[in-house]
């Protein structure tokens, strides 16, 4: 039988066209300029959900068996990225012309139009937490930096107290805060429960125009990081101050607030581009009643429509039930309710409740939030604290040593461990917040 030899195929010589070469260059530019689209949302945790909850989350594809959040699929493929990158290269001359025309001296941004991945002006929105677990979970970490945030609600709904809590957390991050007290009602002793009043800038303007100018000047200075305006509804335009009580002034406040919103947003962009400082504005609003109300919600906020569109986060607050002491019939704590009405940085309609202490006791001061019971319920629900045999096991991290477990047979015992071990409480609080926000 004759031996059959396999004929080698002739070597193909591939000549790349100019179009192919341009495409390959575009792919390289795309990978370099646009970069990696998929980012890891949350890393591995020291406390993992266990039991039925973890199994269900693995089945639904929310987490892997290691406890890490599964990465999202890319929005577009590499070929499409390359085509987009090619179009970006075609705008080179236009970008130079715009930079020459609009980029002023002192502007630290190098270009007016840039590819997002290669730009320092495009940043992941950071947060300023409130320190209240329920609020920070509902807002995905707190109020957004560099944006306008609104706290709106009825009287005695803890709007000012929550704003002061945000100031305290911002000061822990080393941020400079200013409080524009339009109402003229801030109390130093009460504010000291939430923040360092000695490091706080305070202004008490006499008119709406003065308040607006002060806020705008603070934003453009690039030195102030957080500005609280309390409140928009209390601003009195100079037109109303100069006129008598019997003279009508319609729409004056709305015109003033609409102008302020436009100027503040522009000034925030200026501060970010010039000083690389995302200045955050948190303003407080009050409710008024509609005239001739028949159906629907009778509440309305003064100051016109512009604030509805300018704000990135709006949180509605209202007063809940009061816990009374049986023996003395004195109040112990008040439940404060809130709901995210509008948000550009997290899902809206998230709501929650927290309990604010009214009196000092062995573990809390007046104004503190009692989160022990709420955290214990969440930890048991999501199996962060599991029952082995007759006892619940609570992890305690000891620096430089092996982790140990504290044991207790009852749910009330978990509360006691949290109260007596603040480090354990903070560990579980941090892990639980990261877990729920990731969901």
């Amino acid at each position: 039988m004759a031996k059959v030899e396999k004929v080698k195929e002739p070597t193909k010589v591939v000549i790349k066209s100019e179009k192919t070469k341009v495409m390959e260059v575009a792919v390289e530019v795309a990978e370099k300029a646009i970069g990696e689209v998929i980012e890891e949302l949350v890393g591995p945790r020291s406390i993992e959900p266990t039991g039925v909850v973890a199994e269900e989350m693995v089945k639904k594809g929310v987490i892997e068996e290691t406890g890490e959040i599964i990465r999202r699929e890319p929005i577009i493929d590499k070929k499409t990225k390359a085509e987009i990158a090619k179009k970006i290269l075609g705008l080179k001359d236009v970008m130079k012309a715009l930079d020459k025309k609009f980029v002023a001296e002192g502007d630290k941004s190098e270009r007016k139009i840039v590819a997002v991945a290669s730009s320092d002006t495009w940043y992941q929105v950071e947060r300023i937490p409130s320190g209240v677990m329920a609020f920070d979970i509902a807002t995905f970490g707190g109020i957004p930096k560099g944006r306008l945030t609104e706290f709106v609600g009825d009287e005695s709904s803890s709007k000012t107290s929550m704003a002061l809590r945000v100031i305290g957390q911002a000061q822990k991050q080393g941020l400079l805060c200013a409080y524009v007290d339009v109402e003229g009602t801030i109390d130093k002793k009460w504010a000291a429960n939430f923040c360092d009043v000695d490091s706080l800038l305070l202004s008490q303007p006499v008119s709406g125009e003065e308040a607006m100018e002060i806020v705008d000047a603070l934003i453009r200075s690039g030195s102030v990081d957080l500005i609280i305006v309390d409140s928009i509804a209390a601003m009195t335009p100079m037109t109303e101050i100069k006129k008598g009580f019997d003279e009508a002034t319609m729409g004056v406040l709305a015109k003033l607030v609409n102008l302020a919103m436009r100027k503040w947003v522009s000034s925030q962009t200026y501060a970010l581009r010039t000083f690389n400082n995302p200045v955050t504005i948190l303003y407080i609003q009050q409710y008024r009643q509609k005239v001739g109300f028949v159906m629907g919600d009778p509440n309305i906020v003064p100051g016109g429509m512009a604030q509805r569109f300018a704000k990135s986060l709006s949180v509605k607050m209202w007063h809940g039930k009061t816990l009374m002491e049986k023996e003395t019939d004195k109040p112990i704590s008040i439940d404060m309710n809130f709901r995210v009405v509008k948000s550009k940085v997290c899902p809206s309609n998230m709501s929650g409740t927290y309990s604010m202490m009214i009196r000092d006791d062995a573990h809390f001061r007046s104004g503190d939030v009692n989160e022990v019971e709420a955290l214990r319920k969440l930890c048991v629900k999501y199996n962060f604290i599991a029952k082995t045999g007759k006892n619940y096991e609570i992890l305690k991290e000891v620096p430089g040593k092996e982790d140990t477990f504290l044991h207790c047979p009852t749910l009330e015992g978990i509360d006691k461990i949290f109260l007596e071990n603040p480090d354990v409480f903070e560990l579980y609080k941090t892990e639980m917040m990261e877990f729920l926000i990731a969901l």
Side-chain angles (χ1 to χ4, degrees):
M1 185 174 177
K3 187 178 180 181
V4 179
E5 294 184 359
K6 188 176 180 181
V7 180
K8 294 182 179 180
E9 294 182 1
T11 305
K12 294 181 181 180
V13 179
V14 180
I15 302 175
K16 296 182 180 179
S17 63
E18 290 297 323
K19 186 176 181 180
T20 306
K21 291 180 180 179
V22 171
M23 207 65 177
E24 289 180 352
V25 172
V27 170
E28 293 179 4
V29 172
E31 291 180 350
K32 184 178 180 180
I34 300 178
E36 187 68 30
V37 175
I38 309 170
E39 294 182 358
E40 187 175 353
L41 298 178
V42 180
R45 302 178 177 85
S46 58
I47 301 176
E48 301 293 342
T50 58
V52 180
V53 176
E55 291 176 4
E56 288 297 319
M57 293 179 67
V58 172
K59 288 179 182 178
K60 293 178 180 179
V62 178
I63 63 172
E64 295 175 345
E65 294 184 2
T66 58
E68 297 184 8
I69 299 297
I70 295 176
R71 298 186 175 195
R72 296 182 179 180
E73 294 296 325
I75 305 299
I76 56 177
D77 54 26
K78 287 187 176 181
K79 184 178 178 181
T80 309
K81 281 186 182 181
E83 293 175 356
I84 295 174
K86 184 180 177 182
K87 293 180 180 180
I88 292 175
L89 291 175
L91 288 172
K92 190 174 181 180
D93 295 335
V94 177
M95 291 178 178
K96 287 184 178 180
L98 289 172
D99 295 341
K100 186 176 180 181
K101 185 175 182 180
F102 292 110
V103 177
E105 294 183 6
D107 195 339
K108 292 186 178 181
S109 58
E110 297 178 359
R111 301 163 69 182
K112 205 67 181 177
I113 301 179
V114 291
V116 169
S118 61
S119 170
D120 293 333
T121 59
W122 183 282
Y123 61 97
Q124 182 70 28
V125 178
E126 298 179 354
R127 311 300 178 105
I128 302 176
S130 65
V132 178
M133 182 176 62
F135 184 90
D136 292 339
I137 290 173
T139 56
F140 277 50
I143 69 171
K145 286 185 179 180
R147 307 290 185 89
L148 269 74
T149 298
E150 176 192 62
F151 286 172
V152 59
D154 299 320
E155 73 281 358
S156 190
S157 57
S158 194
K159 301 184 297 295
T160 300
S161 296
M162 183 61 77
L164 292 171
R165 294 182 200 277
V166 174
I167 291 177
Q169 296 298 317
Q171 289 175 335
K172 290 179 181 179
Q173 296 181 7
L175 304 180
L176 177 61
C177 305
Y179 196 98
V180 182
D181 184 24
V182 182
E183 297 180 359
T185 57
I186 188 172
D187 182 75
K188 184 177 180 180
K189 184 178 179 180
W190 177 250
N193 291 328
F194 310 102
C195 63
D196 182 14
V197 293
D198 296 330
S199 303
L200 181 66
L201 299 176
L202 176 65
S203 174
Q204 293 181 318
V206 296
S207 67
E209 287 84 355
E210 184 179 331
M212 298 299 187
E213 291 291 346
I214 289 171
V215 173
D216 192 62
L218 291 175
I219 299 171
R220 288 187 165 269
S221 69
S223 300
V224 180
D225 302 289
L226 173 64
I227 303 171
I228 309 293
V229 182
D230 187 8
S231 64
I232 296 291
M235 290 184 176
T236 309
M238 285 300 298
T239 305
E240 293 184 358
I241 294 174
K242 292 179 180 179
K243 286 192 175 183
F245 286 95
D246 57 342
E247 297 181 79
T249 54
M250 292 184 62
V252 179
L253 179 60
K255 291 178 182 179
L256 179 62
V257 175
N258 289 348
L259 175 61
M261 292 295 158
R262 295 195 299 271
K263 291 191 68 174
W264 288 356
V265 171
S266 176
S267 297
Q268 283 180 310
T269 305
Y270 170 81
L272 179 62
R273 292 181 59 84
T274 306
F275 306 105
N276 195 26
N277 182 25
V279 182
T280 307
I281 302 175
L282 169 57
Y283 66 88
I284 297 172
Q285 264 288 23
Q286 303 170 359
Y287 281 131
R288 299 292 185 265
Q289 293 288 315
K290 294 178 182 177
V291 178
F293 161 73
V294 180
M295 297 178 64
D297 187 2
N299 293 323
I300 191 172
V301 294
M305 296 284 289
Q307 54 189 317
R308 293 188 182 184
F309 304 95
K311 60 193 176 187
S312 292
L313 180 67
S314 177
V315 182
K316 178 183 177 181
M317 302 179 180
W318 67 96
H319 190 285
K321 65 179 182 180
T322 302
L323 179 63
M324 307 295 290
E325 191 175 24
K326 293 182 180 180
E327 293 78 9
T328 61
D329 200 30
K330 292 182 178 180
I332 300 175
S333 64
I334 302 176
D335 287 345
M336 295 298 180
N337 307 305
F338 65 88
R339 181 167 63 89
V340 178
V341 179
K342 175 194 173 180
S343 177
K344 294 181 180 179
V345 292
C346 65
S348 58
N349 291 319
M350 301 285 284
S351 60
T353 303
Y354 61 94
S355 180
M356 186 173 73
M357 303 301 294
I358 299 300
R359 293 186 297 162
D360 297 345
D361 62 11
H363 300 286
F364 299 100
R365 298 180 307 168
S366 176
D368 286 350
V369 176
N370 184 359
E371 299 176 320
V372 172
E373 184 179 355
L375 180 61
R376 181 250 296 166
K377 289 180 179 179
L378 288 172
C379 289
V380 173
K381 177 181 179 180
Y382 291 104
N383 285 324
F384 276 56
I385 296 178
K387 194 170 186 178
T388 55
K390 296 183 179 180
N391 293 322
Y392 290 97
E393 284 190 348
I394 297 94
L395 176 67
K396 182 178 182 180
E397 291 185 345
V398 182
K401 299 181 181 179
E402 292 186 3
D403 296 339
T404 58
F405 286 92
L406 303 174
H407 300 84
C408 62
T410 62
L411 295 175
E412 290 73 15
I414 300 176
D415 295 349
K416 186 177 180 181
I417 290 176
F418 281 162
L419 289 170
E420 295 177 351
N421 299 271
D423 54 338
V424 175
F425 174 81
E426 289 298 328
L427 170 66
Y428 275 89
K429 179 180 176 180
T430 303
E431 295 291 339
M432 180 56 67
M433 285 180 58
E434 291 181 359
F435 174 72
L436 293 177
I437 290 173
L439 291 181

